Amino acid sequence: METTQVTVEDVVIVGAGIAGLTTSLGLHRLGIRSLVLESSDTLRVTGFALTTWTNAWKALDVVGVGGTLRQQHLQLYGQGLLPETKLVELECRVVGTSLITGQQTSTSSFRDNGKHGASEIRCVRRQLMLEALANELPSGTIRYLSKVVAIEESGFFKILHLADGTTIKTKVLIGCDGINSVVAKWLGFKEASFTGRQAIRGWAELKSNHGFEPMFMQFFGKGFRAGAIPCDEKALYWFFTWTPTSQDKELEDNPAKLKQFVLNKLEKMPSNVRSFIENTELDGFQSAPLRYRHPWELMWGNISKGNVCVAGDALHPMTPDLGQGGCCALEDGIVLARCLAEAFSKNPERHKNKEKEEEEQYKKIDECLKKYAKERRWRSIDLIITAYMVGSIQQGDSKLVTFFRDKFLGPFLGSQYFKKSDFDCGKLSSSL
């Protein structure tokens, strides 16, 4: 009779996305090994880039990859070099413009210092961020083509069954497996809810300098919002969100028509920005429905249970209207590594009874994950609610909403980007 070989691990992380890799790297910096299971055959990238705000840079610096990414991306704040080689200071801003009235609705400067120091914002390529995190991990940390199909309990351990027949036994299970998380489902969370809105994200790169100032440009119309952010001197990331009708949904299967739909909606956008969308190849943009987790699920749900927890989109899927989804996942990784390290900082007391020894460590792990859940619960709820509110108003289609948005609410909505990114998740610390 053939027996299945069981691999035993201390910590297993499901998903090699931003949250999973940050958690694994944080643990590695503290001397704790983890195994990251990724269902794809390589690092999986959903989307092209993400706006990386001040809170994210603090987390990236904690795990030691901030410097690498800064060298590859344009800072939306600081100094610029004129052709005459004269250094000048560029005031870089979030600029909101109504395509209904043609007027700027808000201008928010990046130069102001927040409670946690100077603001720092860049548009970072997702692929480069994932690679920067993965390259710092020991060889063999990430196991590709490893899809979890079942989770079961076995005393003080969790047993994971993979699609390829592999069985893994682990002391800690962390779900960083995205919006359709298997681990979140095991904890009792429902599937993320649809907002009814859709997002198109695109990426275009020129052979020469695009000439844009380092600004986060936003444009609002009747029932849609759009934006464009330079990533470096040649590349620009853009997005477009709207609420599709039943007819619009047919466009999803036709990239050419979808692109033309966006261009028609943005006919009043400045021509130099609009040209980037025109020059985006059909395989250079993606369309996806916007989903989020109801805040009350996080209020009453199990972020952790025993030796299992979730982080990143598995925990707090949110709309992209604050640009905080990936930033929040980085925060999760730092806090989770810090909390979990306490359970491994001291070897459990040696008992003649091995089960007693396992029970003591299980209790430590449970306490540490509860501490993590407590620290992340209200931060996640706050970002989900604020992002939903900002997006709903900015994409408003009624005359009343667009009137108040364009005349009065612009500065308030613009301030939310800075208020919510002015956050410090703290350092990695351990008594190891």
Side-chain angles (χ1 to χ4, degrees):
M1 181 176 177
E2 190 176 329
T3 58
T4 303
Q5 186 175 359
V6 179
T7 304
V8 181
E9 300 286 345
D10 282 341
V11 181
V12 171
I13 299 169
V14 184
I18 293 174
L21 294 178
T22 305
T23 303
S24 182
L25 184 53
L27 290 171
H28 171 62
R29 299 296 191 212
L30 293 169
I32 301 168
R33 184 186 181 280
S34 63
L35 176 66
V36 181
L37 304 178
E38 172 54 48
S39 60
S40 299
D41 60 354
T42 185
L43 290 175
R44 180 170 47 183
V45 180
T46 303
F48 301 98
L50 69 154
T51 311
T52 308
W53 295 83
T54 310
N55 53 319
W57 287 107
K58 291 185 180 298
L60 290 167
D61 284 337
V62 167
V63 290
V65 300
T68 300
L69 291 170
R70 284 186 179 92
Q71 294 174 8
Q72 299 168 316
H73 299 90
L74 182 68
Q75 186 175 359
L76 304 187
Y77 168 79
Q79 294 181 320
L81 191 64
L82 290 179
E84 296 84 4
T85 70
K86 179 182 178 182
L87 284 173
V88 296
E89 202 169 354
L90 296 176
E91 181 181 4
C92 306
R93 311 178 295 278
V94 173
V95 179
T97 303
S98 170
L99 296 183
I100 297 175
T101 64
Q103 301 297 312
Q104 285 189 6
T105 60
S106 67
T107 302
S108 305
S109 174
F110 288 0
R111 299 179 62 180
D112 299 331
N113 285 347
K115 184 169 59 175
H116 296 286
S119 297
E120 181 177 5
I121 302 95
R122 301 170 195 259
C123 186
V124 175
R125 302 190 193 200
R126 284 181 178 268
Q127 183 72 37
L128 294 182
M129 180 180 287
L130 292 178
E131 288 174 353
L133 292 166
N135 289 342
E136 293 293 312
L137 291 170
S139 177
T141 299
I142 306 174
R143 187 183 193 274
Y144 294 103
L145 295 174
S146 300
K147 181 179 177 61
V148 176
V149 294
I151 304 168
E152 64 175 289
E153 300 192 57
S154 176
F156 301 110
F157 293 80
K158 292 297 178 286
I159 305 294
L160 307 180
H161 298 280
L162 308 189
D164 63 3
T166 302
T167 301
I168 300 175
K169 184 178 182 180
T170 181
K171 293 179 182 178
V172 182
L173 173 61
I174 302 172
C176 300
D177 44 341
I179 201 164
N180 297 310
S181 171
V182 173
V183 181
K185 184 177 180 180
W186 187 90
L187 286 170
F189 282 113
K190 298 177 181 177
E191 290 187 4
S193 300
F194 290 91
T195 62
R197 299 168 58 205
Q198 191 91 358
I200 299 174
R201 301 173 175 92
W203 174 271
E205 188 166 7
L206 300 180
K207 293 181 179 179
S208 58
N209 194 311
H210 51 56
F212 282 105
E213 288 188 25
M215 290 193 302
F216 179 6
M217 300 166 280
Q218 291 200 82
F219 305 93
F220 313 116
K222 186 178 179 181
F224 69 85
R225 66 185 286 266
I229 318 169
C231 285
D232 53 38
E233 289 79 6
K234 297 180 180 180
L236 184 133
Y237 169 69
W238 61 267
F239 63 85
F240 176 87
T241 71
W242 87 110
T243 303
T245 64
S246 56
Q247 292 178 329
D248 293 339
K249 290 179 180 179
E250 297 175 3
L251 298 173
E252 292 182 32
D253 299 325
N254 192 321
K257 287 186 177 181
L258 191 61
K259 179 179 176 180
Q260 190 57 50
F261 169 80
V262 174
L263 290 171
N264 290 342
K265 286 284 187 180
L266 299 178
E267 59 182 356
K268 294 183 180 180
M269 176 184 274
S271 59
N272 59 338
V273 182
R274 193 173 183 272
S275 66
F276 261 86
I277 301 176
E278 292 174 341
N279 292 326
T280 302
E281 300 294 335
L282 294 183
D283 61 354
F285 64 89
Q286 299 172 345
S287 177
L290 298 183
R291 299 164 68 184
Y292 75 114
R293 192 174 302 291
H294 290 299
W296 54 85
E297 284 193 66
L298 290 183
M299 288 182 191
W300 310 115
N302 292 319
I303 295 175
S304 73
K305 183 179 179 182
N307 56 355
V308 181
C309 72
V310 284
D313 281 347
L315 168 60
H316 47 62
M318 64 184 75
T319 61
D321 305 288
L322 283 179
Q324 278 294 328
C327 301
C328 194
L330 287 162
E331 294 177 13
D332 292 342
I334 302 300
V335 176
L336 180 50
R338 181 173 65 236
C339 291
L340 188 56
E342 295 176 15
F344 291 91
S345 60
K346 294 179 181 179
N347 291 324
E349 291 184 25
R350 296 295 175 184
H351 294 274
K352 291 182 180 179
N353 188 330
K354 186 178 179 181
E355 186 174 346
K356 184 68 175 177
E357 187 178 309
E358 291 174 352
E359 181 182 5
E360 284 194 0
Q361 185 161 42
Y362 176 87
K363 288 180 178 178
K364 281 188 177 182
I365 292 168
D366 180 30
E367 290 172 5
C368 291
L369 294 186
K370 282 179 179 176
K371 182 178 179 181
Y372 157 76
K374 182 179 180 181
E375 191 167 340
R376 299 307 296 162
R377 190 184 307 274
W378 290 104
R379 169 68 172 165
S380 300
I381 290 170
D382 181 29
L383 291 177
I384 289 172
I385 292 174
T386 306
Y388 189 93
M389 177 270 295
V390 168
S392 297
I393 296 174
Q394 287 184 337
Q395 195 188 295
D397 59 358
S398 73
K399 288 185 178 180
L400 183 63
V401 172
T402 55
F403 173 78
F404 276 96
R405 178 196 67 195
D406 295 348
K407 294 293 184 181
F408 306 108
L409 295 177
F412 167 74
L413 296 174
S415 70
Q416 296 306 303
Y417 293 97
F418 299 95
K419 183 177 180 180
K420 300 308 176 183
S421 64
D422 185 18
F423 183 88
D424 189 346
C425 62
K427 306 295 183 183
L428 289 173
S429 62
S430 174
S431 58
L432 286 173

